[in-house]
Amino acid sequence: MSWGWKIVVIYSGFVVMTLGMVFYFMGHKVDLVADDYYKQEIAYQDQIDKMSNSQALLEPLGIELDRQTLSAIIRFPLDHASSGLRGSIQLYRPANSDEDKTFDILTDSTGVQLVSLSGFSKGLWKIKVMWNSGGTEYYSEKVVTL
């Protein structure tokens, strides 16, 4: 085989491989951080204010993972638990947005809420807690690995 045919074979192989990769990667689903990403980006100053409110608390929000019962334990400040706490807890899965779950905040008398994590995929999760107490909004999050 002459060197001219070798160049044609190598070039053709490169073109076939490149086209194959293009079609392969076009068929993969790409999860965005959020469907309304740009809207959330514009309102991010509100998010910063909520995080500042959370950091200024004398008794911070506690988020723990209990591996024995496979649940998240979320401890709200006692003064918030007694003042009509409202909000939501979002379990955010960066790897697959289809697995995201949201729960309403329903604490017991001591300001503790248990969220069962049984049946959730193993891997990285973010627990995002957004709540309102006494007219002030708060936000806190923690990264956990199941």
Side-chain angles (χ1 to χ4, degrees), residues 46-130:
D46 292 337
Q47 188 75 357
I48 292 171
D49 294 341
K50 292 174 189 177
M51 288 188 290
S52 296
N53 292 342
S54 296
Q55 291 172 350
L57 290 172
L58 296 175
E59 183 185 350
L61 179 77
I63 302 174
E64 301 171 17
L65 183 64
D66 185 355
R67 296 194 184 279
Q68 304 240 327
T69 61
L70 201 57
S71 60
I73 304 168
I74 301 168
R75 298 182 201 293
F76 291 91
L78 286 175
D79 56 334
H80 288 221
S82 61
S83 67
L85 193 60
R86 291 178 292 121
S88 64
I89 300 167
Q90 180 186 18
L91 293 160
Y92 169 72
R93 176 89 162 139
N96 186 355
S97 63
D98 294 335
E99 296 182 34
D100 294 353
K101 304 272 189 227
T102 303
F103 303 94
D104 289 332
I105 293 176
L106 302 167
T107 63
D108 61 11
S109 61
T110 61
V112 176
Q113 180 166 350
L114 295 175
V115 178
S116 175
L117 302 175
S118 62
F120 283 61
S121 300
K122 295 197 182 297
L124 183 79
W125 288 85
K126 282 187 181 180
I127 300 175
K128 299 179 177 184
V129 183
M130 295 144 283

Side-chain angles (χ1 to χ4, degrees), residues 18-31:
T18 303
L19 289 174
M21 289 181 67
V22 166
F23 288 116
Y24 175 75
F25 288 122
M26 284 178 57
H28 274 66
K29 179 182 173 196
V30 177
D31 287 325

